[in-house]
Amino acid sequence: MKKLLNRKGFTMVELIVVIALMAIMLAILIPMLSTTDARKNEVREYARSFYSNVQELMVDEKLANTELKGDYTLVCAHVNRNKTDYTGVQLYMSYSDSISTLTATTPTWLEDVDDTDDKVELANTHAYKAYEEFATSLRKMLISNERSGVYFAVIDSKYRVVSTYFVEAKTDGEVFDSVFADARSKLFSAECVLGDGGDARYAGAWPEELAQSGKNTFILP
């Protein structure tokens, strides 16, 4: 018989080092994945909760026969947790006869007479004067949220909520126009990411199947 060639394998020390390195990498990676999943679930839940909130209030508006100005209405709520500037909720609305043009311009601000008051008071000449009670109730629902960001709800002519979205703010105090511009120009994905690269931010949609690449930001189910 021919003598077998000596083949050097891994030593016990080398195996221990490799296993230790793998354990360190897993210890770093697993929390990162868990945090990402938690954030995705969180933004989806914010969108789902906003869907329920707005639909509940739109039932009251239908009973009150509040006029809807177009085939589709866009409701925006900006939640800002920046204590040094202001803390609270600003509300915006716009309307259109086509769902694809709801993002054409920045919505109309439902301006408060007194920011320290819980009640939204609009001038008699305001385009959305009839939505004072709706705006007041919605702001009270959102005031306790811990995440800064912008909520969107698309409502059809039958007072039904078609879809809702939540787009997180990159920092507390980020202005509405900055978040709105991202939502208007970038696409939602099934991975709860709006945009890509360093400019990406987490965003959730409800119903969940609306968050698909290649679609407009605000779309019918």
Side-chain angles (χ1 to χ4, degrees), residues 37-97:
D37 288 342
R39 288 182 70 187
K40 289 179 180 180
N41 290 333
E42 185 179 22
V43 293
R44 287 194 190 104
E45 179 57 26
Y46 276 130
R48 186 205 64 76
S49 178
F50 193 57
Y51 186 101
S52 300
N53 291 341
V54 176
Q55 187 61 79
E56 177 185 339
L57 296 177
M58 289 311 297
V59 170
D60 295 335
E61 297 306 315
K62 183 176 182 179
L63 292 174
N65 202 29
T66 303
E67 179 187 4
L68 295 175
K69 296 178 176 296
D71 288 340
Y72 295 99
T73 301
L74 178 65
V75 177
C76 306
H78 180 209
V79 177
N80 191 333
R81 311 311 305 179
N82 182 8
K83 304 288 186 181
T84 61
D85 189 3
Y86 69 90
T87 300
V89 179
Q90 288 179 301
L91 299 170
Y92 304 76
M93 293 182 77
S94 64
Y95 63 91
S96 174
D97 289 332

Side-chain angles (χ1 to χ4, degrees), residues 8 18 22 45 50 63 68 93 100 133-134 150 153 185 205-206 215-216 218 220:
K8 184 179 180 182
V18 170
M22 291 176 64
E45 179 57 26
F50 193 57
L63 292 174
L68 295 175
M93 293 182 77
S100 63
E133 187 174 344
F134 169 85
V150 174
S185 63
W206 193 264
K215 300 287 188 178
N216 289 330
F218 303 116
L220 288 168

